[in-house]
Amino acid sequence: MIPGANTNLEDREAYARDFGRLIRRVPEAVATPRSVEEVASLVRRAASDGVRLTIRGGGHSQGGQTLTDCGVVVDTRGLGRIRPAGPGLVRAQGGVGWGALVDTLRAEGHLPRVLPDFDQLTVGGTLSAGGLGTTSHRYGAQVGQVEQLEVVTGTGERVRCSATRNTELFDAVRSGQGQFGIIAEAWIRLRKAGGRFRQYELHYRDFERFADDLEHIVEEGRFDHLRGEIRHDEGVIVLLAGFEYDDEPDDARMLDALGHDENAYTRDTASVGRAGMYPPWSFGRLYHYPWRDWFLPWETLRTMLAQPWLDPQAVPRRPWRWIGLYPMGREAIDAPLFMRPPGERVVSYSILSVTGESGHAQAVELASYLEEVDRTLVGLGGKTYLSGGVGYGPARWAEHYGEMLAKGIGWKREFDPKHVFYVAGLPFAAGSAAVRSGA
């Protein structure tokens, strides 16, 4: 076992669940490194001793991605350093929470170009998945807004990588699901932030009119922040349209020519950055969260709004169900493992359900139903967003990754030759059918 890793059962139990709470796996031990060199030393020892490591930041996956019962969980939250990195950049270690990063930067009038919608997610965690948020219609995914990374590979080597330096490692770890290395530090691009944030809650009962407005808004760039919520059982779509400002804005001009039925609520706050994030208390720790995300071609927007695949009897009604969408722009294309449909723009689409403390069986049933929905959405040209386990086998992984599957297997052999980094259910992990077959 790794020296210094915690084997106390009570402490290990705290790492036996992730956000989804669908799966329980108790690790053999937990490691909590406090420096990058500690991480590198830990990985070297694991490679030498044949120990598997599973990487965990905020633990926000929904299908067991950050869990293991056959190795050591590495909790990266001890890597919490934030420091300047020159004009338009900040250096944040992989365990930094995005909420903490916002708090550090806000006094300087800057923010990361793309922020997630939950403040407890970590820098390394979302960059390993992709990362999206309310500004993605302008800036794409978080993986497209990183200047360089420091990565600890599966051999325990500390490597700086970027689009011009060690480029294959840079391409492997961004959206690599933690299969090729640990993101120890990221140089993140910043943007100027406004002094205040104002958001309209626009309700649409005509879904065609909503689609027309969304296409127009995204094209002209009127709003800084966009997030939609489809309340199909209520016959309404809610568009949260926000912007940052310094001088008092003209609400009539901002809402000019939009076809919403009502502006149900106008929110105005100085909490720029955090305003688009859900705080930790938004999600009860004892609830179950069967949840899936997809990226759909922009031309399927109207089909997606109609949701012909969604059986209202199969999922809870609001507020125990959230169906959300984010428009996403072009700037994520340079991360080759971030799989998305072709085209300049796509739509991120999510179904999140909630069941109570005693609702595990229902949650498992809902997760199975979402696998059926996945088959339909992939048939529309969509790609699943790997924010957690998806239950794919070799054929589905080949369909998902296409020509990048063989490339990823090659990167696994190069950057993690002893398969130290283990992610259950993902195609490049040790023991997976895709790796065994080499295709």
Side-chain angles (χ1 to χ4, degrees), residues 80-327:
R81 187 175 180 182
I82 302 169
R83 48 184 163 164
L89 292 173
V90 65
R91 290 176 66 173
Q93 289 188 323
V96 170
W98 286 99
L101 186 57
V102 166
D103 294 341
T104 299
L105 293 170
R106 192 164 49 196
E108 304 170 3
H110 289 88
L111 287 172
R113 294 182 180 182
V114 182
L115 288 168
D117 58 9
F118 187 50
D119 69 349
Q120 300 296 295
L121 303 181
T122 61
V123 166
T126 60
L127 293 180
S128 293
L132 63 145
T134 60
T135 61
S136 286
H137 63 293
R138 288 189 174 171
Y139 300 110
Q142 289 179 323
V143 288
Q145 298 297 339
V146 178
E147 195 73 18
Q148 67 172 318
L149 299 168
E150 180 174 8
V151 175
V152 177
T153 69
T155 61
E157 183 182 5
R158 297 173 60 175
V159 182
R160 292 275 183 93
C161 57
S162 69
T164 59
R165 178 185 183 187
N166 297 312
T167 56
E168 291 209 325
L169 181 60
F170 190 60
D171 286 344
V173 295
R174 291 179 302 147
S175 298
Q177 313 301 318
Q179 298 177 89
F180 309 99
I182 299 174
I183 295 176
E185 192 164 19
W187 283 249
I188 300 165
R189 298 185 188 118
L190 303 177
R191 61 175 178 83
K192 182 74 170 64
R196 294 189 66 83
F197 172 82
R198 183 170 294 181
Q199 182 183 73
Y200 308 119
E201 184 179 310
L202 307 180
H203 287 210
Y204 289 79
R205 298 197 176 277
D206 186 320
F207 288 14
E208 282 291 324
R209 196 160 65 233
F210 170 86
D212 290 342
D213 275 5
L214 187 65
E215 290 174 341
H216 177 64
I217 287 170
V218 169
E219 184 65 33
E220 72 171 7
R222 184 185 308 191
F223 292 99
D224 301 317
H225 300 263
L226 292 172
R227 176 168 64 208
E229 180 183 353
I230 308 168
R231 302 176 182 176
H232 206 270
D233 49 354
E234 298 177 12
V236 67
I237 298 179
V238 176
L239 178 63
L240 298 174
F243 58 96
E244 299 167 20
Y245 68 93
D246 294 307
D247 300 323
E248 186 64 25
D250 181 344
D251 289 325
R253 183 182 65 83
M254 293 301 297
L255 295 173
D256 181 54
L258 298 183
H260 54 282
D261 293 288
E262 64 173 325
N263 175 23
Y265 176 67
T266 297
R267 177 189 183 194
D268 198 284
T269 177
S271 184
V272 181
R274 276 193 174 271
M277 292 180 168
Y278 297 107
W281 48 260
S282 300
F283 303 104
R285 290 180 178 271
L286 298 180
Y287 289 170
H288 301 82
Y289 298 94
W291 159 42
R292 290 290 294 267
D293 299 291
W294 298 268
F295 298 113
L296 292 170
W298 187 256
E299 58 269 21
T300 67
L301 174 63
R302 286 167 172 79
T303 301
M304 180 196 68
L305 298 178
Q307 297 181 112
W309 49 84
L310 195 63
D311 178 359
Q313 304 303 315
V315 292
R317 297 174 64 87
R318 274 192 81 246
W320 304 108
R321 177 184 74 193
W322 184 83
I323 299 173
L325 63 91
Y326 296 89

